[in-house]
Amino acid sequence: MEEIESQDMASQDIPQETPAKDVFIAPSIHGQAILAGASYTHHSPISEVVSRNLSTECILGVDEAGRGPVLGPMVYGLFYLPLIQHRSLLAQTHHFDDSKVLTPTFRSSLMKALCTPGTDLYQNCGWATRVMSARDIGSGMLKPAGTYNLNAQAMDATIDLIKDVFAKGINVREIYIDTIGNPAMYQKKLERIFPTTMITVAKKADSLYPCVSAASVCAKVTRDAALEVCYQTYASAADAPEEPQAAAEGWGSGYPSDARCTTWLKGHMNPVFGWGSECRFSWSTAKDLLEAKGTGTKVDWPVEDDEQGMRVTDFFSTTADGAIDKESNELTSWFGRPVAEEVF
């Protein structure tokens, strides 16, 4: 199953993935939407340098955070800046790198600088995030027909973010993206959508290209803060005085391989509804707990028998001899008459 593969791919380095206790709350955190289980997009203002001259050639990177967890959203981050400042500003001056190898404190400090007017990052760089809620991820993957799998959801989020930047008039010349699945196939699809832009899709792009590293920081800090928002509904509950006050101490990283996460899931499962909108019900971790003997409540939904269903024409009035009257006959003609089997 795809979701199991996603867990295996993204469940490495759990200590680095544990949310920071004092994560920076960026403008990309929309508390009400997160608590409602809604997905949303946030864009920073166009940077001062780029807004003064929209013809400035820019480089853009995209990366995600939270692909594998059973708890919390998956967040896509996008980052752009003038092409000539790519490595000097991001790598040499501020030491951006793959968010997983940076400490939570350093990630937060970079994000804070990016959001603070007057800093060189704020003046030169623009960024955006797409928060894909656990509820929406699960509902897409659990559709009874035409499953909207995680790769498709991720690709659509990436494409929409890039389109938004082009719609703002930003002159994007180069795009770098950390791979989803097969890099060559993904790159060809993007080249068809954005034919005038040089596009590179590569594995470990977050370690190779500073703009992708910066995008990964935006995504990771936003996800960590979103986890805190979700967790506070439990930490502040009046009937749970022993509940840890931070997500890192409660459900941990949110990954299935994290013992803190699975322990929290077992201890907070409602026998009927399971968990809240913070949980990806399409993950086998959640499904196995709900279906385990003696834990969840089994519900049998009544299924209507189509054979007993009524037709629209069953409600038309008839005359004494059983024929449909003239007024009803007009409605019958409108909806159509049954055809005898002999016709076929």
Side-chain angles (χ1 to χ4, degrees):
M1 294 175 61
E2 179 190 355
E3 54 91 5
I4 296 176
E5 179 183 349
S6 299
Q7 295 169 14
D8 293 340
M9 290 171 54
S11 61
Q12 307 300 319
D13 302 322
I14 291 300
Q16 289 92 334
E17 292 294 332
T18 298
K21 293 183 179 180
D22 299 312
V23 63
F24 173 66
I25 306 299
S28 52
I29 295 301
H30 300 182
Q32 290 185 343
I34 292 170
L35 291 175
S39 299
Y40 66 90
T41 300
H42 174 88
H43 282 269
S44 74
I46 300 175
S47 67
E48 297 173 9
V49 169
V50 175
S51 63
R52 286 198 296 264
N53 182 8
L54 287 176
S55 65
T56 302
E57 294 188 342
C58 292
I59 186 171
L60 181 152
V62 180
D63 196 14
E64 53 79 23
R67 181 178 178 82
V70 64
L71 294 175
M74 179 164 77
V75 180
Y76 261 84
L78 175 149
F79 193 97
Y80 64 90
L81 76 163
L83 186 57
I84 60 173
Q85 295 183 312
H86 182 211
R87 293 192 179 275
S88 61
L89 180 62
L90 298 184
Q92 297 170 14
T93 302
H94 290 283
H95 309 291
F96 276 92
D97 202 344
D98 174 10
S99 64
K100 292 187 291 296
V101 304
L102 302 176
T103 66
T105 301
F106 189 59
R107 287 195 302 259
S108 283
S109 67
L110 289 174
M111 193 68 179
K112 186 175 183 179
L114 182 61
C115 299
T116 303
T119 66
D120 52 358
L121 287 174
Y122 183 89
Q123 292 173 338
N124 290 278
C125 307
W127 57 280
T129 55
R130 174 64 180 171
V131 175
M132 303 164 61
S133 72
R135 184 190 67 182
D136 289 347
I137 290 173
S139 64
M141 295 178 68
L142 292 172
K143 283 185 176 180
T147 299
Y148 189 23
N149 67 43
L150 193 60
N151 280 350
Q153 294 183 51
M155 184 173 291
D156 287 346
T158 300
I159 292 170
D160 288 345
L161 281 173
I162 297 172
K163 284 183 175 179
D164 287 346
V165 172
F166 275 106
K168 293 177 181 290
I170 309 300
N171 182 21
V172 178
R173 305 306 302 164
E174 299 179 15
I175 296 175
Y176 296 88
I177 301 176
D178 201 34
T179 188
I180 301 173
N182 186 310
M185 292 179 60
Y186 188 22
Q187 182 169 318
K188 287 181 179 178
K189 178 171 182 177
L190 291 173
E191 287 172 342
R192 290 195 298 269
I193 299 172
F194 308 106
T196 62
T197 307
M198 190 192 84
I199 297 175
T200 300
V201 178
K203 294 180 179 180
K204 302 295 183 182
D206 50 1
S207 299
L208 300 173
Y209 307 105
C211 61
V212 182
S213 302
S216 75
V217 169
C218 292
K220 187 68 174 73
V221 173
T222 297
R223 172 176 155 79
D224 283 354
L227 275 176
E228 281 298 328
V229 172
C230 292
Y231 187 78
Q232 289 310 308
T233 60
Y234 296 94
S236 60
D239 59 346
E242 302 302 323
E243 186 78 30
Q245 294 303 301
E249 301 168 349
W251 60 38
S253 64
Y255 282 80
S257 56
D258 186 343
R260 293 167 299 179
C261 173
T262 52
T263 299
W264 185 91
L265 286 170
K266 292 175 182 177
H268 292 77
M269 186 181 75
N270 182 287
V272 176
F273 301 107
W275 305 271
S277 59
E278 73 281 347
C279 181
R280 303 181 193 179
F281 286 85
S282 55
W283 258 229
S284 61
T285 305
K287 290 191 287 187
D288 290 347
L289 286 174
L290 286 171
E291 295 172 1
K293 184 176 181 180
T295 55
T297 300
K298 184 178 179 180
V299 178
D300 291 324
W301 298 101
V303 179
E304 294 183 3
D305 187 352
D306 291 340
E307 296 296 327
Q308 303 300 321
M310 299 293 288
R311 298 172 300 175
V312 172
T313 53
D314 289 341
F315 295 93
F316 296 162
S317 60
T318 59
T319 60
D321 60 359
I324 299 177
D325 64 25
K326 182 178 179 181
E327 182 180 354
S328 297
N329 192 47
E330 291 178 0
L331 290 174
T332 305
S333 300
W334 176 263
F335 285 101
R337 293 179 180 278
V339 179
E341 293 183 5
E342 289 76 12
V343 174
F344 301 97

